[in-house]
């Protein structure tokens, strides 16, 4: 676990950041300092005053990882965690913001090759620049890298009867969540997610609006694979993701796992144009549905985002 991106994935997993519709978390217990922001400590993040309970815990974890790694003789630069609610604003929760994004970038797939220097586009060169932590790890010798990974820690091994993360991630997890183990929080979250999903999928108004949404898509010749309220909002976007060649996702994405050569701007433009049309049709068809869905989802117990 060498790069910042890996560490942030660990932090997200530990704090159970929601990834699916009807997902959400609440702190299983109070944090060690009740989520109060550090007083401008060097190398530490200040916790936003308006951050929710789960987001505050993620900030605490970043700061705790940095402190722990420093004691182990390594440098870790804490990075501001992503507030999931901010991403949903561009996925339909805020119609005007989503419209502005989709009119230029579509769903954000082929746009990476057309706008490689735009940090707003996932997969663009600008959006995938190595973080300070990745650059730091790159300077370590193989032996130092091994020691760094051990100090950082990893997920629990169920076969060994482990319930908590090890290393500095484990230390940070305990600081943020105290006695509640990852497994306990995961079980609680899974139960809450299921209850939230059942409530949303059983909401008569949302069901009716989802059916209207689906009918509109079909009239536009767009395949409909689900009409569940918790799934339909992302359905077209997910379908689009599978149809865009990896090379269209830009040089940044290619540098992080794709073996395909990135497409040129000229070759990607027709793909982006088609994607924009699809994204805008989806946005218009689902406008009434999303206007009703997001407020109800965001009020669901423990909710911090939507799918």
């Amino acid at each position: 676990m060498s790069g910042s991106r890996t560490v942030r994935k660990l932090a997200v997993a530990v704090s159970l950041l929601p990834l699916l519709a009807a997902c959400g978390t609440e702190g299983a217990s109070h944090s060690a300092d009740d989520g109060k922001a550090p007083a401008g400590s060097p190398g530490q993040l200040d916790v936003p005053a308006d951050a929710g309970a789960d987001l505050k815990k993620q900030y605490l974890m970043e700061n705790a990882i940095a402190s722990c790694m420093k004691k182990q003789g390594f440098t870790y630069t804490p990075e501001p965690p992503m507030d999931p609610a901010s991403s949903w604003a561009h996925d339909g929760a805020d119609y005007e913001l989503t419209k502005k994004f989709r009119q230029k970038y579509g769903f954000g797939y082929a746009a990476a090759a057309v706008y490689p220097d735009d940090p707003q586009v996932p997969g663009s060169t600008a959006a995938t620049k190595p973080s300070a932590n990745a650059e730091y790890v790159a300077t370590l010798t193989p032996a130092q890298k091994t020691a760094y990974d051990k100090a950082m820690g990893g997920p629990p091994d169920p076969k060994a009867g482990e319930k908590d993360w090890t290393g500095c991630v484990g230390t940070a997890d305990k600081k943020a969540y105290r006695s509640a183990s990852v497994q306990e929080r995961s079980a609680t979250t899974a139960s809450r997610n299921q209850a939230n999903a059942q409530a949303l999928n059983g909401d008569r108004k949302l069901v009716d609006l989802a059916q209207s949404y689906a009918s509109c898509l079909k009239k536009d010749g767009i395949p409909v694979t689900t009409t569940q309220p918790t799934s339909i909002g992302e359905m077209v976007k997910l379908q689009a993701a599978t149809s865009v060649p990896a090379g269209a996702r830009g040089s940044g994405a290619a540098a992080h796992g794709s073996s395909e050569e990135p497409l040129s701007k000229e070759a990607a433009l027709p793909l982006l144009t088609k994607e924009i049309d699809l994204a805008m049709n989806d946005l218009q068809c689902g406008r009434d549905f999303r206007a009703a869905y997001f407020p109800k989802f965001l009020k669901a117990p423990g909710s911090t985002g939507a799918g």
Side-chain angles (χ1 to χ4, degrees):
M1 291 173 285
S2 57
S4 167
R5 209 167 267 103
T6 301
V7 172
R8 296 187 72 178
K9 285 181 180 179
L10 292 178
V12 167
V14 170
S15 56
L16 303 175
L17 186 68
L19 295 177
L20 302 174
C23 290
T25 66
E26 288 178 336
S29 61
H30 292 294
S31 61
D33 56 3
D34 294 323
K36 294 181 180 179
S41 304
Q44 297 279 285
L45 297 171
D46 287 326
V47 183
D50 60 349
D54 188 71
L55 189 59
K56 285 183 178 179
K57 286 177 170 59
Q58 293 177 52
Y59 270 90
L60 286 172
M61 285 194 63
E62 284 287 312
N63 287 337
I65 290 173
S67 296
C68 178
M69 290 298 282
K70 184 177 181 180
K71 292 178 181 178
Q72 299 296 320
F74 296 103
T75 296
Y76 177 77
T77 303
E79 298 184 25
M82 181 189 73
D83 183 351
S86 65
S87 67
W88 310 136
H90 289 83
D91 266 332
D94 187 312
Y95 173 80
E96 292 301 330
L97 283 179
T98 305
K99 180 180 179 181
K100 183 177 180 180
F101 182 89
R102 292 192 178 188
Q103 284 177 328
K104 183 175 181 180
Y105 306 116
F107 290 119
Y109 300 131
V114 179
Y115 303 106
D117 299 320
D118 192 333
Q120 293 191 67
V121 183
S124 67
T125 303
T128 54
K129 289 182 178 179
S131 67
N133 289 306
E135 291 179 346
Y136 167 73
V137 172
T139 67
L140 301 178
T141 65
Q144 290 173 329
K145 169 68 166 51
T146 298
Y148 177 96
D149 288 345
K150 182 177 180 180
M152 184 63 69
D157 182 1
K159 294 181 180 180
E162 297 176 350
K163 294 183 178 181
D164 298 301
W165 295 71
T166 61
C168 286
V169 175
T171 298
D173 179 66
K174 290 178 181 177
K175 178 176 177 61
Y177 292 94
R178 288 194 173 180
S179 60
S181 71
V182 175
Q183 288 186 345
E184 291 169 339
R185 299 200 309 274
S186 179
T188 298
T189 300
S191 177
R192 185 186 298 119
N193 291 347
Q194 183 178 19
N196 287 349
Q198 289 177 343
L200 291 167
N201 288 329
D203 186 294
R204 176 45 53 186
K205 181 178 180 180
L206 293 182
V207 170
D208 291 342
L209 287 172
Q211 291 290 345
S212 297
Y213 182 3
S215 296
C216 179
L217 292 173
K218 290 177 181 178
K219 288 180 181 178
D220 288 337
I222 301 172
V224 173
T225 58
T226 180
T227 57
Q228 276 197 329
T230 54
S231 303
I232 193 170
E234 290 288 279
M235 177 188 65
V236 178
K237 182 178 180 180
L238 293 175
Q239 290 175 356
T242 62
S243 64
V244 176
R249 295 174 183 263
S251 58
H256 287 81
S258 172
S259 59
E260 291 188 30
E261 288 293 323
L263 294 183
S264 65
K265 178 178 180 179
E266 291 72 23
L269 267 173
L271 297 176
L272 176 58
T273 299
K274 182 178 180 181
E275 188 180 315
I276 289 173
D277 288 341
L278 180 63
M280 292 304 296
N281 284 344
D282 172 66
L283 181 63
Q284 296 304 324
C285 284
R287 182 172 185 176
D288 291 340
F289 168 78
R290 291 187 176 95
Y293 175 81
F294 277 98
K296 291 186 177 184
F297 173 76
L298 294 173
K299 290 181 181 179
S303 179
T304 57

